Amino acid sequence: SQTIHQWPATLVQPVGSPLSLECTVEGTSNPNLYWYRQAAGRGLQLLFYSVGIGQISSEVPQNLSASRPQDRQFILSSKKLLLSDSGFYLCAWKKQETQYFGPGTRLLVL
Amino acid sequence: KQEVTQIPAALSVPEGENLVLNCSFTDSAIYNLQWFRQDPGKGLTSLLLIQSSQREQTSGRLNASLDKSSGRSTLYIAASQPGDSATYLCAVRQIEGGSEKLVFGKGTKLTVNP
């Protein structure tokens, strides 16, 4: 069966520090992968999606970036975090028509 | 630009009650619609997916309907239980210019009281 992992589960970072969140998928190959952010009082916002290695599409211009160095690995990064980057970050993959989500990473920027 | 609205934002019901959650969307050109459940501090769990050509889908005590022309979907929960307490999110999938995306509503927070 397929599973999706995210780490870390929780992260507290100072403003201006770098960020790296990792997502890996097991049990499938060549999945479509997605990064979402869920901020307090707001719906899920699609940040990036990838249809293959090295192929990244950005939905929202901001100080975040994404990379897909391997087929089942999706990384969300920032060089300098802002207070507004705080939120719950969810990685997801798509099988046929259904989207499946990871457990999420809660990021607090202070 | 697609907008998805869920009403009510929060709902509290006694155990055993049947209930309906509502979802509306502004652009009827959707590929499908998906209902999710989210427990506090957790990721999303897919409940039901309805293709644009379908009218409804059922899974256990859950029934989701879709009226694409009017831009509406409902999630019906029969005989609610305390374990159903969670936030329920609907999302529509659109395909634009060869790329696809899910657009989410803000969710309905359901509390089922024992």
Side-chain angles (χ1 to χ4, degrees):
Chain A
S1 63
Q2 299 87 3
T3 54
I4 182 168
H5 303 280
Q6 286 187 246
W7 64 89
T10 306
L11 191 60
V12 181
Q13 291 285 94
V15 170
S17 63
L19 173 74
S20 181
L21 302 182
E22 190 164 341
C23 169
T24 59
V25 182
E26 294 179 356
T28 187
S29 60
N30 197 31
N32 285 1
L33 296 173
Y34 307 81
W35 277 112
Y36 290 86
R37 177 170 60 200
Q38 189 175 36
R42 301 179 66 179
L44 266 77
Q45 181 184 38
L46 178 63
L47 302 175
F48 301 95
Y49 71 93
S50 172
V51 298
I53 295 174
Q55 301 178 62
I56 309 294
S57 296
S58 174
E59 288 292 312
V60 182
Q62 54 202 327
N63 68 321
L64 299 173
S65 63
S67 63
R68 186 167 176 177
Q70 300 180 42
D71 181 44
R72 289 170 287 177
Q73 184 184 32
F74 204 20
I75 297 173
L76 182 69
S77 304
S78 174
K79 293 182 179 178
K80 288 186 177 181
L81 283 169
L82 306 173
L83 285 174
S84 58
D85 291 324
S86 293
F88 192 46
Y89 288 82
L90 289 158
C91 180
W93 70 284
K94 188 167 76 77
K95 176 181 179 181
Q96 297 177 343
E97 303 301 328
T98 302
Q99 199 146 86
Y100 298 93
F101 285 79
T105 293
R106 186 161 301 282
L107 172 66
L108 179 60
V109 182
L110 301 174
Chain B
K1 179 184 174 184
Q2 178 75 272
E3 292 184 4
V4 180
T5 303
Q6 291 187 245
I7 295 174
L11 181 64
S12 182
V13 300
E15 181 177 5
E17 191 164 298
N18 302 325
L19 59 100
V20 175
L21 307 180
N22 297 291
C23 172
S24 61
F25 46 95
T26 53
D27 184 351
S28 62
I30 65 170
Y31 193 64
N32 58 43
L33 183 145
Q34 199 166 352
W35 281 93
F36 295 87
R37 167 188 173 136
Q38 185 176 29
D39 293 289
K42 304 293 184 182
L44 278 66
T45 300
S46 178
L47 298 174
L48 290 165
L49 180 141
I50 310 178
Q51 299 290 357
S52 62
S53 58
Q54 296 176 323
R55 298 285 292 182
E56 65 178 335
Q57 282 287 332
T58 298
S59 176
R61 295 183 292 109
L62 305 180
N63 176 278
S65 69
L66 174 64
D67 184 343
K68 199 174 76 162
S69 61
S70 67
R72 296 174 187 270
S73 176
T74 62
L75 179 67
Y76 175 81
I77 302 177
S80 59
Q81 303 171 357
D84 294 330
S85 298
T87 297
Y88 291 80
L89 296 152
C90 76
V92 297
R93 183 176 298 280
Q94 287 192 287
I95 298 186
E96 296 176 358
S99 65
E100 59 169 295
K101 61 187 295 184
L102 273 181
V103 180
F104 282 83
K106 294 182 180 180
T108 293
K109 184 176 181 180
L110 172 66
T111 302
V112 181
N113 301 300

